[in-house]
Each structure stands twice: as structure tokens, then as C-alpha cells.
Amino acid sequence: MRRSTVAAPDTTGLRRPRRLSGSLGLLAKIALLAVVDAIAVFAIMLLAAQGSWIVVAVVALVTVVVNAVYLVPGRFLPAKYLTPGLVLLGIFQVFVVLFSCYIAFTNYGFGHNSTKDDAISQLIQQSTSRVEDSPAYRVTVVENLSGLGLLVTDPDGDVSVGSAEQPLQRLDEGQVETEAGVAVAADGWTTLTTGQIVQRQSDIASLQVPFSDDLDDGFLVTADARNAYVFVSNLSYDEATDTLTDTDTGVVYVDGGEGAFVSPDGEELRPGWQVLVGFENFAYPFQSQAFGQALIGVTIWTFAFAAISVGLSFLLGLALAVTLNDPRLRGRNVYRVLAILPYAFPSFLSALVWLGLLNTEFGFVNQVLLGGAAVPWLSDPIIAKISVILVNVWLGFPYMFLVCTGALQSIPEEVTEAATVDGARGWAIFRLIKLPLLLVSIAPLLISSFAFNFNNFNIIYMLTRGGPRIGGIDENVGHTDLLITLVYKVAFAGQGADYGLASALAIIIFVIVAVISAISFRQTKALEDLN
């Protein structure tokens, strides 16, 4: 009998691709970790140069943990999936919240956005005047990674180079290139061409290069990019007494303890520096009566705006949903499409369109619909509030229409039929059966809509910029300002940007919204029993 032999299958060809795939995956993982580590090392170097040692420690610890999670085989499997999300959460959420809380307890803002050493340097440099009979220093404008600098040839022929951040440093002959006895190029610096000098005239004219680390030794300043002259400051800093003295008037400025040098008569030098002020930003509305009253008015209006907008949008959306849910209505789909059109366009674009429509002099509403009337839709305090509410309802009712339509269609028809058999009629069925069941699913959405409108920045800022402005108050506060637009204007609009006060107000807004949401969600639990 013949013996049949079956050759063993060759598994070599099956294993090699797996090994190759595993090797490629390992190489990709190492390459990604190398990129992450390089970014982390670069960040650590920058933070260390600024003296932010706490942040340095956090970045280093996170980097070590990330490497351990992905390099240790067979362990931390859940962490491999969670780590990217946690890192991004920490950077874009936790850090932002913690930093905002920190800023709320400082005087950080216009004129107080740097360190004390930087403030002293700026004060000395901005109070300079030319020394009489100052010799001319031949200069060439140069540039490197740190910014603009001056390549200086002094009257004795010695060559040095410096910038606003780096005092003049002597150069050897082998480091410079000269023409007609004037240095025109230096190692590590790029000489600006005539065209570049013309384009950057203002930057060059404001450039002040100190002679040494002691700013009292003076600066070199050039107006024509060819000759520089000696300037000295009329402010002299005494490190022993921590004071600035005006050499022209003899006035001594001392550290007032609030991030600025102050004279005996209360004059404050700007810029100052950033310091901790405790709860001063939170107490400011109580200390400034005018601002406090305006803040109370803005808070009341914010609640009214959010509540009225949500209420009217819900009622209008619900009415449309009930009407267009009737199977006897012809062309329902066409009406539904028309009803959701405002929801299809970005809100800020729609707000800009309404801004044109409501223009007092040239708007379509006044000129066409009202026959040339001059109704101040956006400039009168009362009418402006009505206008922004109506526009916001126009933008918000399609969303309520959609969710109400979905909620109504999810209610079983058997419930309606049973109520009809029991003798109930249309309004009674809707009020006693459909509306409570509808609120079970709609109530959380109403709460989230209230929170959204509480911070509805777009509609207010695009239509009125928060105006018209409230008179009798130094801060830029308007009649239609919400708390969120007020925070924006305190932080970014106007000359006196105050990030500390804006952060404190932002924390107050967060607390208000969180408390209202918590209470509202607790109350909605009573509706769940209807299910």
C-alpha cells in the first residue's frame, strides 16, 4: 500500500509579516515618544530660563510617566489609551482653570504684566535724554535671534556689539569686518541692508543699547542708523534702599507694596509689576459703588436675558412642533425646512445680518417696513434689550423646534388613544399627558440652553458691543452687557486692561452657572418618576 505523505505547512511566511509589523509599530512608538520628549526638553529649558521651577517639575514628571506607560511592556494597558486624553485635558482644561484662579488673586493687567526687574529696566529706559556734547559713535544696525542690535565703533576705534537685552561687548579684530575704519559686520550677527533699515526705522529709533549691566552708565541711541549718541536716564535705582530717584527733581519713589513705585505725594510710576493682591479683585465691586451698581444691573439683565430667551424659544419651538406634527397638515416637510433655516447659518453671521437690518438710518426694518422711521433699535437702552432678545429668539427657536418634534414623536400613540377613551380632549391630553412626558427629555436641554445663553457672547457683541454705555462710571459697562461680555471688555477692551479683575468675574460666573445647573438638575429628578 502506498503511503501518502502530507507536507507540513510552511509557517515561515506567516510569521515574518507579524514580526515586521511589530517592529514597525515599535519604531513608530519610539519615534513619537522621541518627538514628545524633544518638545518636553525644549519646554523645560524655556521654563528653567524663566525660573518657573514648579512648572518644570510638573512637565518633567508628566514626561517620565508618559515614557513609562508606553515603554514598559505588558503593563499599564488602560493607561496607554487614557494618557493622551488626560494630557490634553490637563493642558487645555485643568491648567487653564488653575491659571485663571491664580490670576484672579493678582494685579495682572495693563501696566502690571511683568517682573519687578523688568519694570525697573523699562522705567529707566523710558526716561532717557541725550547727554550734552556726547561724542558720535559710528554704528551699523545688525540683527540676530535676540533681535536688533548695534555694531559700534567708538571714537578710539574699538568695536563692540550689543542689543536692548545685551549690553555692549568688546569684539576682537578677527570677529569683525571693517570698511574705512568702521565695523560693518560681525560674527553671529546679520547686517541690515538699506531697504531693511528704511522698513524698520521706528524700531531702530526706539532701540536703546546699554553700555553695561548698570543702566546708570547710559545707553547708545541712533536716529539715522549711522551715528549713535549717549543717552542717560533721569531715574536712578538704588538697590540697597529699593528706591528710584529722579535726578532732575530729587523726588524719591519707593515700592508701594502694590506692584509700583510711588512718590510721597501719591504719584505712581508706570509700568509696574505683577504681585499677589489676595481677594482685592473680588472685593472691588463692593469698594467701587458705581461699578458695583453697574455689576448688579448686568447680573440681573444676564439672568433675564437667558431666562426670557430660553422661555420664548421653547414656547415658539413647541408651538411649531405641535402644529407641524399634525398629520392632517399638508406640506409639513416644507414648513419644517423653513422653520430650521435660521439654525442652518452660523450665529455670528446671522447677528451681523441683523445688525444691518436694524441700522437706524439705513436698515431694512426702518426704511422699508416702517416707512423711513428712525427707531433706535440698538442705541436706546430699553429698545436695545428688546432687540437682542428678539434676535436671539429668532436664532434659538429652530433648535427647540427640533428637540420638541423629536420628543413628541417619541411619545407612544397608545397613551393618546387611552386618554381619548377615558374622555380627555386635545388640550387636556397635551397639558396633562404629553407636556409632562415631553419635559422629561426636554428639561436637561432647557438647563443647558439657559447656561449657553447666560454666556452668549456672540449675539451681544456682534449686535451692540454691550452698549449703549452706562454713564457715570469709569469702566466700560453697557446696558446690554452680559457678564461674559463685561469680562471680555474688562480684560481686553479699552486702555486699562485688568486681567486680574476679569479672572475674578469669570470665577463668579462659573460659580453662578454651576449652582443654578446643580439645583436645576436636582429638580428635574422629580420628572423622572413620570417614566
Side-chain angles (χ1 to χ4, degrees):
M1 185 183 250
R2 240 171 164 188
R3 226 166 167 191
S4 63
T5 59
V6 179
D10 184 9
T11 59
T12 306
L14 298 175
R15 293 178 181 174
R16 285 179 181 172
R18 293 179 182 177
R19 292 177 180 174
L20 181 60
S21 176
S23 300
L24 290 176
L26 179 61
L27 290 175
K29 180 169 64 176
I30 293 175
L32 289 174
L33 285 176
V35 173
V36 172
D37 291 344
I39 295 174
V41 170
F42 181 71
I44 288 173
M45 293 173 61
L46 292 180
L47 293 168
Q50 297 176 0
S52 303
W53 299 111
I54 296 178
V55 184
V56 167
V58 172
V59 173
L61 178 62
V62 171
T63 305
V64 171
V65 171
V66 169
N67 282 269
V69 166
Y70 287 102
L71 291 179
V72 176
R75 301 187 65 183
F76 311 120
L77 183 60
K80 295 180 189 297
Y81 297 96
L82 295 175
T83 297
L86 292 175
V87 171
L88 294 177
L89 176 66
I91 294 174
F92 295 107
Q93 292 291 334
V94 177
F95 171 76
V96 173
V97 170
L98 293 179
F99 185 73
S100 298
C101 292
Y102 164 73
I103 293 299
F105 293 92
T106 70
N107 66 340
Y108 186 41
F110 179 77
H112 297 278
N113 55 5
S114 187
T115 64
K116 186 175 183 178
D117 291 339
D118 290 340
I120 293 173
S121 177
Q122 292 182 38
L123 287 170
I124 291 176
Q125 291 184 28
Q126 70 185 17
S127 304
T128 58
S129 57
R130 180 178 170 179
V131 176
E132 295 183 6
D133 301 328
S134 165
Y137 290 75
R138 296 298 304 274
V139 296
T140 299
V141 182
V142 293
E143 185 178 25
N144 66 2
L145 294 177
S146 63
L148 290 175
L150 294 179
L151 182 61
V152 181
T153 305
D154 65 21
D156 297 330
D158 295 329
V159 178
S160 56
V161 66
S163 64
E165 305 295 332
Q166 175 186 338
L168 289 175
Q169 294 181 346
R170 182 81 175 271
L171 298 178
D172 299 330
E173 293 183 1
Q175 297 177 287
V176 299
E177 178 183 341
T178 61
E179 291 183 3
V182 178
V184 294
D187 294 343
W189 296 81
T190 302
T191 302
L192 267 63
T193 64
T194 302
Q196 293 172 328
I197 291 175
V198 171
Q199 292 177 355
R200 306 180 66 176
Q201 283 182 345
S202 59
D203 294 334
I204 295 171
S206 61
L207 177 63
Q208 296 179 329
V209 180
F211 278 97
S212 67
D213 291 328
D214 187 357
L215 300 181
D216 290 338
D217 292 340
F219 308 85
L220 280 180
V221 179
T222 180
D224 58 4
R226 293 174 58 86
N227 297 290
Y229 299 91
V230 180
F231 282 66
V232 294
S233 176
N234 62 347
L235 288 177
S236 177
Y237 177 67
D238 188 344
E239 187 174 358
T241 60
D242 191 22
T243 58
L244 278 172
T245 302
D246 189 327
T247 55
D248 293 338
T249 63
V251 176
V252 178
Y253 297 86
V254 300
D255 184 351
E258 296 183 356
F261 285 101
V262 184
S263 67
D265 59 359
E267 179 187 359
E268 185 178 291
L269 294 179
R270 290 291 185 94
W273 58 93
Q274 182 179 338
V275 294
L276 291 172
V277 295
F279 289 91
E280 183 176 317
N281 291 318
F282 295 91
Y284 178 73
F286 302 97
Q287 297 171 349
S288 174
Q289 183 177 1
F291 182 76
Q293 291 177 350
L295 182 60
I296 292 175
V298 169
T299 303
I300 295 173
W301 159 241
T302 302
F303 277 99
F305 172 80
I308 295 173
S309 296
V310 173
L312 292 180
S313 299
F314 173 67
L315 293 177
L316 182 56
L318 179 60
L320 284 173
V322 172
T323 303
L324 299 181
N325 199 44
D326 192 335
R328 297 171 297 176
L329 181 65
R330 294 181 179 180
R332 289 187 301 164
N333 292 334
V334 176
Y335 296 134
R336 285 172 177 172
V337 171
L338 294 175
I340 64 174
L341 278 180
Y343 194 56
F345 297 97
S347 61
F348 70 93
L349 289 179
S350 298
L352 290 177
V353 171
W354 276 104
L355 178 63
L357 294 175
L358 297 177
N359 184 277
T360 302
E361 297 180 3
F362 310 106
F364 179 84
V365 175
N366 280 345
Q367 294 301 315
V368 178
L369 298 183
L370 300 181
V375 180
W377 294 106
L378 302 176
S379 57
D380 180 81
I382 303 300
I383 300 178
K385 291 182 178 180
I386 297 174
S387 299
V388 296
I389 288 177
L390 292 178
V391 173
N392 197 39
V393 170
W394 184 83
L395 292 172
F397 85 85
Y399 169 74
M400 292 298 177
F401 164 69
L402 290 175
V403 296
C404 289
T405 299
L408 285 173
Q409 292 177 351
S410 66
I411 298 175
E413 287 296 331
E414 292 81 1
V415 176
T416 304
E417 294 173 358
T420 304
V421 172
D422 290 340
R425 292 296 177 262
W427 172 245
I429 293 175
F430 175 78
R431 181 174 61 87
L432 299 176
I433 298 176
K434 287 188 176 182
L435 183 59
L437 291 175
L438 182 74
L439 290 176
V440 173
S441 56
I442 296 299
L445 298 178
L446 293 177
I447 296 171
S448 62
S449 296
F450 179 87
F452 170 79
N453 282 288
F454 197 88
N455 292 317
N456 195 341
F457 178 86
N458 284 350
I459 190 67
I460 297 297
Y461 209 75
M462 291 296 177
L463 283 177
T464 64
R465 294 289 196 274
R469 184 168 178 172
I470 299 175
I473 180 174
D474 295 333
E475 290 79 8
N476 184 9
V477 185
H479 287 278
T480 59
D481 263 323
L482 302 180
L483 286 172
I484 189 66
T485 58
L486 176 60
V487 169
Y488 174 83
K489 292 200 291 190
V490 169
F492 303 108
Q495 297 296 323
D498 192 339
Y499 303 125
L501 178 59
S503 297
L505 294 175
I507 292 174
I508 294 174
I509 294 174
F510 170 77
V511 172
I512 292 174
V513 174
V515 171
I516 293 174
S517 299
I519 295 174
S520 300
F521 278 117
R522 177 170 294 183
Q523 294 298 321
T524 57
K525 289 183 178 180
L527 296 173
E528 296 178 2
D529 296 337
L530 296 173
N531 274 340

